[in-house]
Amino acid sequence: QSALTQPASVSGSPGQSITISCTGTSSDFGDDEHVSWYQQYPGKAPKLMIYDVNKRPSGISNRFSGSKSGNTASLTISGLQAEDEADYYCCSFRDSTTRLFGGGTKLTVL
Amino acid sequence: EVQLLESGGALVQPGESLRLSCAASGFTFTDYDMTWVRQGPGKGLEWVSVISTYGGTTHYADSVKGRFTISRDNSKSTLYLHMSSLRAEDTAVYFCANSNFLPGDHWGQGTLVTVSS
């Protein structure tokens, strides 16, 4: 099972917006409803930031938003802050049996 | 407070077996499917396995199918991962998490499994 494709790194200055893409095949995104995004700091557990493509769990800043078009899902972070510097992973529900993570994107806040 | 506490990680030799545990508290364990996710040293996240609320349905990544078995004891609010025929490439931090189709908002801190001779 190949990972979903994410850029290895993205960067932005404080206050700017960045978008991280997550690309797969039509079979990787088993349906249009189930894509999640996770934030992970070094040595820490992942944290759910977006689920069901564009929904935010309680307590997650509205600076984080998700979308999906065709075979590409996207995470947008607006008003970048230093604390947003972390690794980000997408995940999809490939079919009734398989879940798939992206390779991860390192976000650097300049 | 929601807690997921993994345990059982160790240094083992190739071919050996190991059982990981994940003790849950602070939420209704039977409300959720549960999942294992691993992360090799310096690598990204890899989904490993998922089990339905009462254990009737399980699924595995191709990389562990036939070697790993996921199970749960709802009376103890505990999730397990029995790993056999371990390989060097199974070396990773193993995280447990709740799951609603995909890994959710409750994660443990992880337990390290090292497979080396």
Side-chain angles (χ1 to χ4, degrees):
Chain A
Q1 292 141 339
S2 301
L4 299 168
T5 300
Q6 296 181 232
S9 62
V10 298
S11 62
S13 299
Q16 288 185 333
S17 294
I18 63 96
T19 296
I20 299 172
S21 61
C22 171
T23 301
T25 67
S26 57
S27 61
D28 288 337
F29 294 107
D31 58 35
D32 287 331
E33 299 177 10
H34 299 296
V35 179
S36 294
W37 289 89
Y38 306 86
Q39 176 191 65
Q40 187 183 34
Y41 295 113
K44 300 297 185 181
K47 179 181 181 180
L48 180 67
M49 305 303 284
I50 295 288
Y51 68 99
D52 290 354
V53 177
N54 56 15
K55 298 184 175 121
R56 282 187 306 276
S58 174
I60 300 302
S61 169
N62 59 8
R63 298 188 299 107
F64 292 83
S65 62
S67 63
K68 182 175 176 291
S69 178
N71 295 336
T72 298
S74 299
L75 172 71
T76 298
I77 308 173
S78 59
L80 266 181
Q81 299 179 1
E83 67 205 48
D84 299 331
E85 185 163 297
D87 294 326
Y88 291 85
Y89 295 89
C90 61
C91 185
S92 77
F93 182 73
R94 186 177 195 176
D95 52 37
S96 62
T97 64
T98 302
R99 284 71 169 158
L100 205 58
F101 279 98
T105 298
K106 181 177 179 59
L107 170 61
T108 300
V109 180
L110 302 170
Chain B
E1 179 192 4
V2 171
Q3 274 199 326
L4 289 170
L5 186 62
E6 301 97 336
S7 60
L11 169 62
V12 297
Q13 295 192 345
E16 292 188 337
S17 298
L18 196 63
R19 188 182 80 164
L20 305 182
S21 300
C22 169
S25 60
F27 66 100
T28 303
F29 190 62
T30 50
D31 278 353
Y32 294 96
D33 295 349
M34 295 295 293
T35 194
W36 288 98
V37 173
R38 69 184 181 182
Q39 187 169 35
K43 296 185 178 180
L45 301 175
E46 180 186 11
W47 175 78
V48 173
S49 182
V50 66
I51 186 168
S52 59
T53 53
Y54 289 92
T57 301
T58 59
H59 297 299
Y60 301 91
D62 286 348
S63 58
V64 306
K65 200 172 294 182
R67 300 187 300 121
F68 289 13
T69 302
I70 191 171
S71 62
R72 63 192 293 165
D73 185 338
N74 288 342
S75 69
K76 296 181 180 179
S77 295
T78 301
L79 173 72
Y80 302 101
L81 185 67
H82 186 266
M83 306 182 293
S84 63
S85 302
L86 281 162
R87 306 167 180 167
E89 54 264 37
D90 296 318
T91 294
V93 174
Y94 286 73
F95 298 99
C96 64
N98 66 333
S99 179
N100 187 5
F101 294 102
L102 298 176
D105 55 349
H106 305 328
W107 290 69
Q109 84 294 342
T111 187
L112 176 62
V113 173
T114 303
V115 184
S116 174
S117 54

mmCIF file of all heavy atoms in Angstrom, chain B residues 5-55:
data_model
loop_
_atom_site.group_PDB
_atom_site.id
_atom_site.type_symbol
_atom_site.label_atom_id
_atom_site.label_comp_id
_atom_site.label_asym_id
_atom_site.label_seq_id
_atom_site.Cartn_x
_atom_site.Cartn_y
_atom_site.Cartn_z
ATOM 1 N N LEU B 5 -2.880 4.500 27.437
ATOM 2 C CA LEU B 5 -1.535 4.221 27.932
ATOM 3 C C LEU B 5 -1.046 2.905 27.346
ATOM 4 O O LEU B 5 -1.507 1.832 27.733
ATOM 5 C CB LEU B 5 -1.537 4.165 29.454
ATOM 6 C CG LEU B 5 -0.162 4.030 30.108
ATOM 7 C CD1 LEU B 5 0.692 5.245 29.770
ATOM 8 C CD2 LEU B 5 -0.324 3.907 31.620
ATOM 9 N N GLU B 6 -0.092 3.011 26.404
ATOM 10 C CA GLU B 6 0.489 1.820 25.807
ATOM 11 C C GLU B 6 1.590 1.250 26.692
ATOM 12 O O GLU B 6 2.269 1.987 27.411
ATOM 13 C CB GLU B 6 1.081 2.110 24.421
ATOM 14 C CG GLU B 6 0.129 2.660 23.390
ATOM 15 C CD GLU B 6 0.195 4.167 23.287
ATOM 16 O OE1 GLU B 6 0.605 4.805 24.283
ATOM 17 O OE2 GLU B 6 -0.152 4.722 22.228
ATOM 18 N N SER B 7 1.772 -0.046 26.580
ATOM 19 C CA SER B 7 2.861 -0.712 27.302
ATOM 20 C C SER B 7 3.238 -1.981 26.537
ATOM 21 O O SER B 7 2.510 -2.415 25.642
ATOM 22 C CB SER B 7 2.453 -1.051 28.726
ATOM 23 O OG SER B 7 1.341 -1.925 28.729
ATOM 24 N N GLY B 8 4.364 -2.552 26.914
ATOM 25 C CA GLY B 8 4.771 -3.817 26.330
ATOM 26 C C GLY B 8 5.905 -3.721 25.328
ATOM 27 O O GLY B 8 6.433 -4.747 24.903
ATOM 28 N N GLY B 9 6.280 -2.514 24.949
ATOM 29 C CA GLY B 9 7.384 -2.370 24.013
ATOM 30 C C GLY B 9 8.685 -2.891 24.612
ATOM 31 O O GLY B 9 8.901 -2.807 25.823
ATOM 32 N N ALA B 10 9.551 -3.431 23.751
ATOM 33 C CA ALA B 10 10.790 -4.026 24.234
ATOM 34 C C ALA B 10 11.764 -4.222 23.083
ATOM 35 O O ALA B 10 11.412 -4.029 21.912
ATOM 36 C CB ALA B 10 10.504 -5.368 24.905
ATOM 37 N N LEU B 11 12.969 -4.620 23.434
ATOM 38 C CA LEU B 11 13.972 -5.032 22.453
ATOM 39 C C LEU B 11 13.840 -6.539 22.277
ATOM 40 O O LEU B 11 13.968 -7.292 23.255
ATOM 41 C CB LEU B 11 15.370 -4.670 22.943
ATOM 42 C CG LEU B 11 16.548 -5.257 22.153
ATOM 43 C CD1 LEU B 11 16.548 -4.766 20.712
ATOM 44 C CD2 LEU B 11 17.863 -4.927 22.854
ATOM 45 N N VAL B 12 13.569 -6.979 21.045
ATOM 46 C CA VAL B 12 13.427 -8.410 20.775
ATOM 47 C C VAL B 12 14.257 -8.780 19.560
ATOM 48 O O VAL B 12 14.640 -7.914 18.767
ATOM 49 C CB VAL B 12 11.955 -8.813 20.539
ATOM 50 C CG1 VAL B 12 11.116 -8.572 21.784
ATOM 51 C CG2 VAL B 12 11.378 -8.063 19.343
ATOM 52 N N GLN B 13 14.505 -10.064 19.415
ATOM 53 C CA GLN B 13 15.267 -10.541 18.272
ATOM 54 C C GLN B 13 14.339 -10.858 17.100
ATOM 55 O O GLN B 13 13.146 -11.139 17.296
ATOM 56 C CB GLN B 13 16.058 -11.795 18.662
ATOM 57 C CG GLN B 13 17.130 -11.523 19.702
ATOM 58 C CD GLN B 13 18.082 -12.696 19.861
ATOM 59 O OE1 GLN B 13 17.805 -13.811 19.420
ATOM 60 N NE2 GLN B 13 19.225 -12.448 20.483
ATOM 61 N N PRO B 14 14.870 -10.814 15.898
ATOM 62 C CA PRO B 14 14.051 -11.188 14.730
ATOM 63 C C PRO B 14 13.447 -12.574 14.909
ATOM 64 O O PRO B 14 14.107 -13.496 15.392
ATOM 65 C CB PRO B 14 15.059 -11.162 13.577
ATOM 66 C CG PRO B 14 16.104 -10.197 14.020
ATOM 67 C CD PRO B 14 16.223 -10.375 15.499
ATOM 68 N N GLY B 15 12.169 -12.681 14.520
ATOM 69 C CA GLY B 15 11.469 -13.952 14.629
ATOM 70 C C GLY B 15 10.703 -14.129 15.928
ATOM 71 O O GLY B 15 9.855 -15.031 16.029
ATOM 72 N N GLU B 16 10.987 -13.291 16.913
ATOM 73 C CA GLU B 16 10.305 -13.416 18.204
ATOM 74 C C GLU B 16 8.930 -12.756 18.178
ATOM 75 O O GLU B 16 8.539 -12.116 17.196
ATOM 76 C CB GLU B 16 11.173 -12.822 19.312
ATOM 77 C CG GLU B 16 12.441 -13.622 19.574
ATOM 78 C CD GLU B 16 13.193 -13.137 20.806
ATOM 79 O OE1 GLU B 16 13.013 -11.968 21.207
ATOM 80 O OE2 GLU B 16 13.980 -13.940 21.360
ATOM 81 N N SER B 17 8.203 -12.932 19.282
ATOM 82 C CA SER B 17 6.862 -12.389 19.420
ATOM 83 C C SER B 17 6.811 -11.388 20.559
ATOM 84 O O SER B 17 7.673 -11.390 21.453
ATOM 85 C CB SER B 17 5.861 -13.520 19.697
ATOM 86 O OG SER B 17 5.823 -14.434 18.635
ATOM 87 N N LEU B 18 5.776 -10.547 20.535
ATOM 88 C CA LEU B 18 5.607 -9.525 21.557
ATOM 89 C C LEU B 18 4.140 -9.130 21.582
ATOM 90 O O LEU B 18 3.469 -9.130 20.534
ATOM 91 C CB LEU B 18 6.474 -8.309 21.221
ATOM 92 C CG LEU B 18 6.751 -7.274 22.299
ATOM 93 C CD1 LEU B 18 7.536 -7.897 23.461
ATOM 94 C CD2 LEU B 18 7.531 -6.109 21.704
ATOM 95 N N ARG B 19 3.622 -8.801 22.771
ATOM 96 C CA ARG B 19 2.250 -8.302 22.861
ATOM 97 C C ARG B 19 2.248 -6.901 23.451
ATOM 98 O O ARG B 19 2.783 -6.672 24.534
ATOM 99 C CB ARG B 19 1.373 -9.222 23.720
ATOM 100 C CG ARG B 19 -0.107 -8.829 23.658
ATOM 101 C CD ARG B 19 -0.983 -9.693 24.544
ATOM 102 N NE ARG B 19 -0.914 -9.275 25.948
ATOM 103 C CZ ARG B 19 -1.795 -9.639 26.867
ATOM 104 N NH1 ARG B 19 -2.814 -10.425 26.535
ATOM 105 N NH2 ARG B 19 -1.664 -9.239 28.118
ATOM 106 N N LEU B 20 1.634 -5.993 22.740
ATOM 107 C CA LEU B 20 1.449 -4.628 23.223
ATOM 108 C C LEU B 20 0.062 -4.488 23.826
ATOM 109 O O LEU B 20 -0.892 -5.125 23.380
ATOM 110 C CB LEU B 20 1.606 -3.623 22.080
ATOM 111 C CG LEU B 20 2.900 -3.685 21.274
ATOM 112 C CD1 LEU B 20 2.898 -2.579 20.223
ATOM 113 C CD2 LEU B 20 4.114 -3.600 22.163
ATOM 114 N N SER B 21 -0.041 -3.627 24.834
ATOM 115 C CA SER B 21 -1.326 -3.319 25.459
ATOM 116 C C SER B 21 -1.566 -1.821 25.409
ATOM 117 O O SER B 21 -0.622 -1.027 25.370
ATOM 118 C CB SER B 21 -1.356 -3.787 26.916
ATOM 119 O OG SER B 21 -1.148 -5.172 27.013
ATOM 120 N N CYS B 22 -2.828 -1.454 25.426
ATOM 121 C CA CYS B 22 -3.226 -0.048 25.442
ATOM 122 C C CYS B 22 -4.419 0.065 26.386
ATOM 123 O O CYS B 22 -5.523 -0.367 26.053
ATOM 124 C CB CYS B 22 -3.584 0.408 24.047
ATOM 125 S SG CYS B 22 -4.400 2.020 23.951
ATOM 126 N N ALA B 23 -4.184 0.627 27.564
ATOM 127 C CA ALA B 23 -5.235 0.772 28.576
ATOM 128 C C ALA B 23 -5.932 2.105 28.411
ATOM 129 O O ALA B 23 -5.278 3.156 28.404
ATOM 130 C CB ALA B 23 -4.633 0.656 29.969
ATOM 131 N N ALA B 24 -7.248 2.075 28.267
ATOM 132 C CA ALA B 24 -8.030 3.276 28.027
ATOM 133 C C ALA B 24 -8.796 3.684 29.280
ATOM 134 O O ALA B 24 -9.265 2.832 30.046
ATOM 135 C CB ALA B 24 -8.995 3.048 26.875
ATOM 136 N N SER B 25 -8.948 4.985 29.472
ATOM 137 C CA SER B 25 -9.756 5.508 30.562
ATOM 138 C C SER B 25 -10.259 6.887 30.184
ATOM 139 O O SER B 25 -9.719 7.542 29.295
ATOM 140 C CB SER B 25 -8.940 5.573 31.861
ATOM 141 O OG SER B 25 -7.825 6.420 31.700
ATOM 142 N N GLY B 26 -11.327 7.322 30.853
ATOM 143 C CA GLY B 26 -11.848 8.659 30.629
ATOM 144 C C GLY B 26 -12.826 8.793 29.484
ATOM 145 O O GLY B 26 -13.292 9.896 29.198
ATOM 146 N N PHE B 27 -13.140 7.688 28.827
ATOM 147 C CA PHE B 27 -14.173 7.716 27.783
ATOM 148 C C PHE B 27 -14.788 6.327 27.692
ATOM 149 O O PHE B 27 -14.259 5.360 28.226
ATOM 150 C CB PHE B 27 -13.610 8.161 26.431
ATOM 151 C CG PHE B 27 -12.617 7.210 25.792
ATOM 152 C CD1 PHE B 27 -13.014 6.340 24.781
ATOM 153 C CD2 PHE B 27 -11.286 7.183 26.195
ATOM 154 C CE1 PHE B 27 -12.105 5.475 24.179
ATOM 155 C CE2 PHE B 27 -10.368 6.316 25.606
ATOM 156 C CZ PHE B 27 -10.780 5.461 24.604
ATOM 157 N N THR B 28 -15.907 6.238 27.006
ATOM 158 C CA THR B 28 -16.596 4.956 26.885
ATOM 159 C C THR B 28 -15.913 4.140 25.799
ATOM 160 O O THR B 28 -16.076 4.404 24.599
ATOM 161 C CB THR B 28 -18.080 5.160 26.555
ATOM 162 O OG1 THR B 28 -18.672 5.983 27.579
ATOM 163 C CG2 THR B 28 -18.810 3.822 26.507
ATOM 164 N N PHE B 29 -15.142 3.157 26.233
ATOM 165 C CA PHE B 29 -14.292 2.381 25.329
ATOM 166 C C PHE B 29 -15.103 1.733 24.212
ATOM 167 O O PHE B 29 -14.684 1.701 23.058
ATOM 168 C CB PHE B 29 -13.553 1.326 26.158
ATOM 169 C CG PHE B 29 -12.459 0.588 25.442
ATOM 170 C CD1 PHE B 29 -11.352 1.247 24.939
ATOM 171 C CD2 PHE B 29 -12.532 -0.796 25.298
ATOM 172 C CE1 PHE B 29 -10.335 0.558 24.296
ATOM 173 C CE2 PHE B 29 -11.520 -1.493 24.656
ATOM 174 C CZ PHE B 29 -10.418 -0.818 24.161
ATOM 175 N N THR B 30 -16.284 1.248 24.551
ATOM 176 C CA THR B 30 -17.086 0.524 23.567
ATOM 177 C C THR B 30 -17.796 1.447 22.577
ATOM 178 O O THR B 30 -18.494 0.968 21.687
ATOM 179 C CB THR B 30 -18.120 -0.363 24.268
ATOM 180 O OG1 THR B 30 -18.837 0.426 25.233
ATOM 181 C CG2 THR B 30 -17.442 -1.526 24.977
ATOM 182 N N ASP B 31 -17.601 2.740 22.705
ATOM 183 C CA ASP B 31 -18.170 3.669 21.725
ATOM 184 C C ASP B 31 -17.327 3.737 20.456
ATOM 185 O O ASP B 31 -17.779 4.284 19.440
ATOM 186 C CB ASP B 31 -18.273 5.082 22.305
ATOM 187 C CG ASP B 31 -19.503 5.286 23.161
ATOM 188 O OD1 ASP B 31 -20.361 4.378 23.204
ATOM 189 O OD2 ASP B 31 -19.596 6.354 23.809
ATOM 190 N N TYR B 32 -16.094 3.209 20.529
ATOM 191 C CA TYR B 32 -15.153 3.427 19.444
ATOM 192 C C TYR B 32 -14.531 2.144 18.906
ATOM 193 O O TYR B 32 -14.184 1.237 19.679
ATOM 194 C CB TYR B 32 -14.004 4.331 19.903
ATOM 195 C CG TYR B 32 -14.417 5.731 20.237
ATOM 196 C CD1 TYR B 32 -14.686 6.092 21.553
ATOM 197 C CD2 TYR B 32 -14.542 6.702 19.252
ATOM 198 C CE1 TYR B 32 -15.060 7.382 21.879
ATOM 199 C CE2 TYR B 32 -14.913 7.989 19.567
ATOM 200 C CZ TYR B 32 -15.169 8.332 20.885
ATOM 201 O OH TYR B 32 -15.544 9.601 21.193
ATOM 202 N N ASP B 33 -14.341 2.120 17.578
ATOM 203 C CA ASP B 33 -13.336 1.226 17.032
ATOM 204 C C ASP B 33 -11.995 1.703 17.598
ATOM 205 O O ASP B 33 -11.859 2.857 18.039
ATOM 206 C CB ASP B 33 -13.290 1.347 15.508
ATOM 207 C CG ASP B 33 -14.573 0.890 14.830
ATOM 208 O OD1 ASP B 33 -15.436 0.284 15.507
ATOM 209 O OD2 ASP B 33 -14.703 1.120 13.610
ATOM 210 N N MET B 34 -11.001 0.832 17.580
ATOM 211 C CA MET B 34 -9.671 1.199 18.052
ATOM 212 C C MET B 34 -8.638 0.800 17.012
ATOM 213 O O MET B 34 -8.814 -0.183 16.278
ATOM 214 C CB MET B 34 -9.358 0.531 19.387
ATOM 215 C CG MET B 34 -10.235 0.977 20.557
ATOM 216 S SD MET B 34 -10.024 2.716 21.001
ATOM 217 C CE MET B 34 -8.337 2.722 21.613
ATOM 218 N N THR B 35 -7.540 1.550 16.970
ATOM 219 C CA THR B 35 -6.565 1.336 15.910
ATOM 220 C C THR B 35 -5.145 1.417 16.431
ATOM 221 O O THR B 35 -4.887 2.012 17.486
ATOM 222 C CB THR B 35 -6.777 2.384 14.790
ATOM 223 O OG1 THR B 35 -6.075 2.000 13.613
ATOM 224 C CG2 THR B 35 -6.316 3.766 15.225
ATOM 225 N N TRP B 36 -4.217 0.766 15.753
ATOM 226 C CA TRP B 36 -2.783 0.890 16.017
ATOM 227 C C TRP B 36 -2.142 1.577 14.817
ATOM 228 O O TRP B 36 -2.430 1.250 13.660
ATOM 229 C CB TRP B 36 -2.143 -0.478 16.224
ATOM 230 C CG TRP B 36 -2.490 -1.147 17.515
ATOM 231 C CD1 TRP B 36 -3.444 -2.101 17.726
ATOM 232 C CD2 TRP B 36 -1.874 -0.925 18.795
ATOM 233 N NE1 TRP B 36 -3.467 -2.484 19.042
ATOM 234 C CE2 TRP B 36 -2.510 -1.781 19.727
ATOM 235 C CE3 TRP B 36 -0.840 -0.098 19.255
ATOM 236 C CZ2 TRP B 36 -2.152 -1.830 21.088
ATOM 237 C CZ3 TRP B 36 -0.488 -0.143 20.600
ATOM 238 C CH2 TRP B 36 -1.139 -1.002 21.490
ATOM 239 N N VAL B 37 -1.257 2.502 15.128
ATOM 240 C CA VAL B 37 -0.472 3.228 14.131
ATOM 241 C C VAL B 37 0.980 3.166 14.585
ATOM 242 O O VAL B 37 1.251 3.275 15.785
ATOM 243 C CB VAL B 37 -0.938 4.700 14.026
ATOM 244 C CG1 VAL B 37 -0.016 5.504 13.106
ATOM 245 C CG2 VAL B 37 -2.385 4.766 13.544
ATOM 246 N N ARG B 38 1.909 3.000 13.666
ATOM 247 C CA ARG B 38 3.314 2.951 14.059
ATOM 248 C C ARG B 38 4.138 3.973 13.293
ATOM 249 O O ARG B 38 3.716 4.482 12.250
ATOM 250 C CB ARG B 38 3.894 1.550 13.868
ATOM 251 C CG ARG B 38 4.051 1.107 12.429
ATOM 252 C CD ARG B 38 4.548 -0.345 12.381
ATOM 253 N NE ARG B 38 4.738 -0.801 11.007
ATOM 254 C CZ ARG B 38 5.120 -2.042 10.691
ATOM 255 N NH1 ARG B 38 5.327 -2.945 11.639
ATOM 256 N NH2 ARG B 38 5.278 -2.372 9.410
ATOM 257 N N GLN B 39 5.316 4.245 13.851
ATOM 258 C CA GLN B 39 6.219 5.225 13.247
ATOM 259 C C GLN B 39 7.648 4.737 13.424
ATOM 260 O O GLN B 39 8.166 4.726 14.547
ATOM 261 C CB GLN B 39 6.026 6.599 13.879
ATOM 262 C CG GLN B 39 6.794 7.708 13.209
ATOM 263 C CD GLN B 39 6.351 9.071 13.700
ATOM 264 O OE1 GLN B 39 5.998 9.254 14.871
ATOM 265 N NE2 GLN B 39 6.350 10.060 12.816
ATOM 266 N N GLY B 40 8.263 4.335 12.320
ATOM 267 C CA GLY B 40 9.649 3.911 12.360
ATOM 268 C C GLY B 40 10.567 5.074 12.658
ATOM 269 O O GLY B 40 10.179 6.236 12.502
ATOM 270 N N PRO B 41 11.784 4.809 13.084
ATOM 271 C CA PRO B 41 12.721 5.884 13.432
ATOM 272 C C PRO B 41 12.970 6.822 12.251
ATOM 273 O O PRO B 41 13.406 6.369 11.183
ATOM 274 C CB PRO B 41 13.989 5.131 13.848
ATOM 275 C CG PRO B 41 13.813 3.738 13.358
ATOM 276 C CD PRO B 41 12.363 3.469 13.265
ATOM 277 N N GLY B 42 12.649 8.089 12.449
ATOM 278 C CA GLY B 42 12.837 9.083 11.400
ATOM 279 C C GLY B 42 11.882 8.975 10.248
ATOM 280 O O GLY B 42 12.081 9.611 9.206
ATOM 281 N N LYS B 43 10.821 8.176 10.416
ATOM 282 C CA LYS B 43 9.881 7.946 9.318
ATOM 283 C C LYS B 43 8.502 8.513 9.624
ATOM 284 O O LYS B 43 8.256 9.039 10.706
ATOM 285 C CB LYS B 43 9.780 6.448 9.029
ATOM 286 C CG LYS B 43 11.084 5.838 8.544
ATOM 287 C CD LYS B 43 10.903 4.399 8.155
ATOM 288 C CE LYS B 43 12.190 3.787 7.622
ATOM 289 N NZ LYS B 43 12.021 2.361 7.247
ATOM 290 N N GLY B 44 7.596 8.381 8.662
ATOM 291 C CA GLY B 44 6.239 8.864 8.824
ATOM 292 C C GLY B 44 5.338 7.859 9.516
ATOM 293 O O GLY B 44 5.754 6.778 9.918
ATOM 294 N N LEU B 45 4.085 8.261 9.650
ATOM 295 C CA LEU B 45 3.096 7.399 10.288
ATOM 296 C C LEU B 45 2.664 6.293 9.333
ATOM 297 O O LEU B 45 2.539 6.507 8.130
ATOM 298 C CB LEU B 45 1.877 8.220 10.695
ATOM 299 C CG LEU B 45 2.121 9.376 11.660
ATOM 300 C CD1 LEU B 45 0.829 10.171 11.871
ATOM 301 C CD2 LEU B 45 2.653 8.874 12.989
ATOM 302 N N GLU B 46 2.435 5.110 9.888
ATOM 303 C CA GLU B 46 1.948 3.969 9.110
ATOM 304 C C GLU B 46 0.784 3.336 9.861
ATOM 305 O O GLU B 46 0.923 2.893 10.999
ATOM 306 C CB GLU B 46 3.053 2.937 8.888
ATOM 307 C CG GLU B 46 2.583 1.731 8.082
ATOM 308 C CD GLU B 46 3.633 0.620 7.981
ATOM 309 O OE1 GLU B 46 4.641 0.673 8.699
ATOM 310 O OE2 GLU B 46 3.416 -0.306 7.179
ATOM 311 N N TRP B 47 -0.368 3.269 9.212
ATOM 312 C CA TRP B 47 -1.513 2.589 9.802
ATOM 313 C C TRP B 47 -1.229 1.089 9.854
ATOM 314 O O TRP B 47 -0.727 0.512 8.884
ATOM 315 C CB TRP B 47 -2.769 2.870 8.975
ATOM 316 C CG TRP B 47 -3.952 2.102 9.454
ATOM 317 C CD1 TRP B 47 -4.729 2.380 10.543
ATOM 318 C CD2 TRP B 47 -4.479 0.906 8.875
ATOM 319 N NE1 TRP B 47 -5.710 1.428 10.665
ATOM 320 C CE2 TRP B 47 -5.584 0.514 9.669
ATOM 321 C CE3 TRP B 47 -4.133 0.122 7.780
ATOM 322 C CZ2 TRP B 47 -6.352 -0.620 9.389
ATOM 323 C CZ3 TRP B 47 -4.875 -1.009 7.492
ATOM 324 C CH2 TRP B 47 -5.979 -1.372 8.297
ATOM 325 N N VAL B 48 -1.562 0.454 10.990
ATOM 326 C CA VAL B 48 -1.251 -0.961 11.185
ATOM 327 C C VAL B 48 -2.504 -1.830 11.191
ATOM 328 O O VAL B 48 -2.584 -2.824 10.474
ATOM 329 C CB VAL B 48 -0.480 -1.156 12.511
ATOM 330 C CG1 VAL B 48 -0.296 -2.644 12.816
ATOM 331 C CG2 VAL B 48 0.875 -0.451 12.445
ATOM 332 N N SER B 49 -3.490 -1.450 12.033
ATOM 333 C CA SER B 49 -4.632 -2.329 12.205
ATOM 334 C C SER B 49 -5.782 -1.581 12.872
ATOM 335 O O SER B 49 -5.566 -0.560 13.530
ATOM 336 C CB SER B 49 -4.231 -3.531 13.071
ATOM 337 O OG SER B 49 -5.294 -4.446 13.237
ATOM 338 N N VAL B 50 -6.989 -2.103 12.703
ATOM 339 C CA VAL B 50 -8.169 -1.537 13.346
ATOM 340 C C VAL B 50 -9.079 -2.676 13.784
ATOM 341 O O VAL B 50 -9.102 -3.744 13.167
ATOM 342 C CB VAL B 50 -8.906 -0.565 12.404
ATOM 343 C CG1 VAL B 50 -9.497 -1.299 11.205
ATOM 344 C CG2 VAL B 50 -9.987 0.218 13.136
ATOM 345 N N ILE B 51 -9.812 -2.453 14.880
ATOM 346 C CA ILE B 51 -10.757 -3.441 15.389
ATOM 347 C C ILE B 51 -12.064 -2.734 15.708
ATOM 348 O O ILE B 51 -12.065 -1.605 16.214
ATOM 349 C CB ILE B 51 -10.186 -4.174 16.614
ATOM 350 C CG1 ILE B 51 -11.116 -5.312 17.056
ATOM 351 C CG2 ILE B 51 -9.901 -3.202 17.763
ATOM 352 C CD1 ILE B 51 -10.484 -6.255 18.074
ATOM 353 N N SER B 52 -13.177 -3.379 15.413
ATOM 354 C CA SER B 52 -14.485 -2.777 15.652
ATOM 355 C C SER B 52 -14.810 -2.788 17.144
ATOM 356 O O SER B 52 -14.107 -3.386 17.956
ATOM 357 C CB SER B 52 -15.547 -3.534 14.856
ATOM 358 O OG SER B 52 -15.564 -4.902 15.236
ATOM 359 N N THR B 53 -15.900 -2.143 17.490
ATOM 360 C CA THR B 53 -16.228 -1.889 18.904
ATOM 361 C C THR B 53 -16.278 -3.160 19.753
ATOM 362 O O THR B 53 -15.812 -3.157 20.893
ATOM 363 C CB THR B 53 -17.566 -1.161 19.012
ATOM 364 O OG1 THR B 53 -18.549 -1.885 18.280
ATOM 365 C CG2 THR B 53 -17.475 0.264 18.483
ATOM 366 N N TYR B 54 -16.834 -4.230 19.226
ATOM 367 C CA TYR B 54 -16.943 -5.466 20.001
ATOM 368 C C TYR B 54 -16.060 -6.578 19.461
ATOM 369 O O TYR B 54 -16.217 -7.743 19.816
ATOM 370 C CB TYR B 54 -18.417 -5.892 20.098
ATOM 371 C CG TYR B 54 -19.180 -4.953 20.995
ATOM 372 C CD1 TYR B 54 -19.833 -3.839 20.471
ATOM 373 C CD2 TYR B 54 -19.182 -5.128 22.379
ATOM 374 C CE1 TYR B 54 -20.490 -2.950 21.316
ATOM 375 C CE2 TYR B 54 -19.839 -4.250 23.213
ATOM 376 C CZ TYR B 54 -20.486 -3.158 22.671
ATOM 377 O OH TYR B 54 -21.135 -2.275 23.502
ATOM 378 N N GLY B 55 -15.100 -6.175 18.601
ATOM 379 C CA GLY B 55 -14.075 -7.118 18.162
ATOM 380 C C GLY B 55 -14.461 -8.016 17.012
ATOM 381 O O GLY B 55 -13.676 -8.882 16.615
#
